[in-house]
Amino acid sequence: MIDKVNENTLYDVAELFKNFSDSTRIRILYCLFEKERSVTEISELLQMNQSAISHQLRFLKNSKLVKNRRSGKTIYYSLDDDHVYNIILQGIEHVSE
Amino acid sequence: MIDKVNENTLYDVAELFKNFSDSTRIRILYCLFEKERSVTEISELLQMNQSAISHQLRFLKNSKLVKNRRSGKTIYYSLDDDHVYNIILQGIEHVSE
DNA sequence: AATACATATGAACAGATGTTCATATGTTCA
DNA sequence: TGAACATATGAACATCTGTTCATATGTATT
């Protein structure tokens, strides 16, 4: 199982973890744990520029970690991957000792 | 459990995942899965400059993910944290679908 | 159609990051 | 002690990354 890992897999793993390696992205993902949220809502929660959030959401969407749906003017983002929850949770447990 | 997470924790989690977000570091950690290895050994396995490896090992050591021991001229590095193994394993499983 | 609101996007910029090069430190052995 | 080997370290450099600003796109409402 471990032995079957090849070079490419490890590059992909690095790409995956890149999503969690920035505090803005981690906080975005974390605030989607509870429920889906609009871009404006996320901006307000994190007290950050709407554009910055939008850029990071695109990053996370490209990585297939979040998905979105439109409802009128508003676009709601939510987690797109069961694993995300568990990986971040494991990270939280690790740093909480 | 989830609800108790504060801002600082999420910053720490980002710091933790930063260790796994670079392919050099992930490959270093991965080749320590099997057993401890010297800096030269790691350099040869990854076919990379000794200095580059040394710099990244320092990074990983500061994060307490690896430890080392000296034996004569040689310094052996090994994983310093049980969680590391599981977190990376989960990443590997994720990208392997 | 015009306005207001929500989000996306591209360019520009500053700061962070990873690698290389040269060299220093530390160890062994002759 | 001097040479050889293993590793660490600092400076320099190029590239990558995250944010901001200005503006574009898309939707609803009047």
Side-chain angles (χ1 to χ4, degrees), chain A residues 49-73:
Chain A
N49 197 305
Q50 173 267 320
S51 181
I53 300 297
S54 220
H55 280 297
Q56 296 299 350
L57 282 169
R58 181 170 50 171
F59 187 109
L60 294 169
K61 187 142 187 288
N62 286 339
S63 304
K64 304 250 197 294
L65 297 192
V66 301
K67 61 179 187 286
N68 58 17
R69 70 179 181 88
R70 178 181 281 279
S71 170
K73 285 177 292 188

Side-chain angles (χ1 to χ4, degrees), chain B residues 2 4 13-15 26-27 62 65-67 89 92-93:
Chain B
I2 289 292
K4 286 294 188 179
V13 173
E15 284 303 308
I26 267 276
R27 286 184 301 148
N62 286 339
L65 298 191
V66 301
K67 62 179 187 285
L89 206 59
I92 291 172
E93 278 165 11

